[in-house]
Amino acid sequence: MSLKFALIGCGRISPNHIAAAIENELEIVGLCDVKQENMEGIISTFNLPTSTPQYTDYKEMIKVEKPDLVAICTESGKHGQMALDCIEEGVNLIIEKPITLSLEEADQIIALAKEKNVKVSACHQNRFNKSIQKIRESVEKERFGRLLYGTAHIRWNRGEDYYTQAPWRGTWEQDGGALMNQCIHNIDLLRWMMGDEITEVVGMTDNLKHGFIEAEDLGIALVRFGNGSYGVIEGTTNIYPKNLEETLYIFGDKGTVKAGGKSVNLIEEWHFADGLDDPEQVKEEYQENPPNVYGFGHKPLYTDVIDAIKNDREPYVTAEDGRRALELVLAIYKSAAEGTSVKLPLTNVSSTDFTGRFK
């Protein structure tokens, strides 16, 4: 029996969610957006029945349609309250990144989901990239030996048009800057690969050429992981004239790997002391060529969440994973604002704490 699915927020990323829902044979029982034309655009693009219910009030949609699974794809600052309202009604969730903009809200989501036995997945779909799955397998098999350090580089371009399309972008209340919006996927991957636990973060952020937004267009950080390894993060939306690359390096004393491409969807370097596989064959077998930076990960993420619901298990990407990525970005913001290193874990930090930072 297929699950009933509804979507909250029909903007830029929503087609990836609708496509994944259709490919996973979910029954689409409702769309919700404050703009009628956005919902009509989804119906037209995907040839959905014209009778597909459309709502401007997500609470009403949940009560009337009683979906089994909802995807939240609105402004980031609205994720938290919407998620809590859905969980309260017993609805399983896929929440677009970042899971919220507040650690307090993230903790509330995690606690309420456990209380209600509701599945919540943070939409870090790049974890499902073929290249990333291969690297993760090598981490779990300890092929890298001792992990020494890893780096995440996100060298992208976002012009003024991108921000005028949706005025919430680049605001502290609803979005954050380059690290929170564009770079959080790779930040998530770096933390995941390097063992998750972090003890200390040193960060610098600036707004160099996006004076029309509130938040940063450049972020650089050093990370000390709990296992004694280190991380380097570099994220920007200032690259001329267009997106250049998103890369992830993992360095161990017995292995070196580089994932690159539009959304870390290619393996560009593959060297292990154990010699268990042919580097050229790995590069050939574990590559994808997505049409955009969103990659191909939404479909398998949906497949996993559906299975998690049906078999009452945790999703592959959990709400806790979403919180960890959020925590690292907020730690960089906090370090940059205070001009000092920040110890983790963090609690009760929010993007709005940094309002006015670049005025």
Side-chain angles (χ1 to χ4, degrees), residues 278-320:
D278 173 46
E280 295 309 313
Q281 187 177 341
V282 170
K283 291 178 196 176
E284 181 66 32
E285 188 175 346
Y286 293 92
Q287 64 168 312
E288 296 169 294
N289 186 27
N292 54 48
V293 295
Y294 302 132
F296 294 125
H298 285 86
K299 181 185 176 182
L301 184 139
Y302 269 69
T303 304
D304 172 75
V305 172
I306 292 163
D307 185 72
I309 294 167
K310 290 181 175 178
N311 292 296
D312 192 23
R313 64 164 175 83
E314 281 291 287
Y316 188 70
V317 190
T318 62
E320 288 88 345

Side-chain angles (χ1 to χ4, degrees), residues 27-133:
E27 180 189 353
I28 299 171
V29 299
L31 302 174
C32 182
D33 199 282
V34 293
K35 294 181 179 178
Q36 189 75 34
E37 62 267 28
N38 286 356
M39 293 185 280
E40 289 173 355
I42 289 288
I43 288 170
S44 171
T45 300
F46 290 94
N47 293 316
L48 299 181
T50 53
S51 58
T52 301
Q54 300 175 45
Y55 293 85
T56 54
D57 182 340
Y58 70 93
K59 292 181 184 177
E60 181 189 359
M61 179 176 72
I62 290 162
K63 286 191 183 300
V64 174
E65 305 299 339
K66 295 182 169 46
D68 301 298
L69 174 63
V70 162
I72 298 176
C73 302
T74 60
E75 304 93 312
S76 303
K78 294 180 178 172
H79 290 177
Q81 189 56 56
M82 287 181 169
L84 292 169
D85 291 337
C86 290
I87 295 166
E88 198 65 60
E89 295 294 328
V91 178
N92 303 287
L93 291 175
I94 293 171
I95 308 175
E96 255 303 331
K97 56 76 188 167
I99 188 168
T100 71
L101 294 176
S102 150
L103 288 175
E104 186 177 11
E105 278 187 337
D107 289 334
Q108 290 169 354
I109 289 168
I110 291 164
L112 189 60
K114 282 181 180 163
E115 181 188 323
K116 299 284 186 180
N117 192 29
V118 161
K119 310 307 174 193
V120 179
S121 179
C123 194
H124 288 293
Q125 77 276 359
N126 286 353
R127 288 193 181 200
F128 290 90
N129 289 2
K130 287 164 65 176
S131 55
I132 296 303
Q133 284 284 297

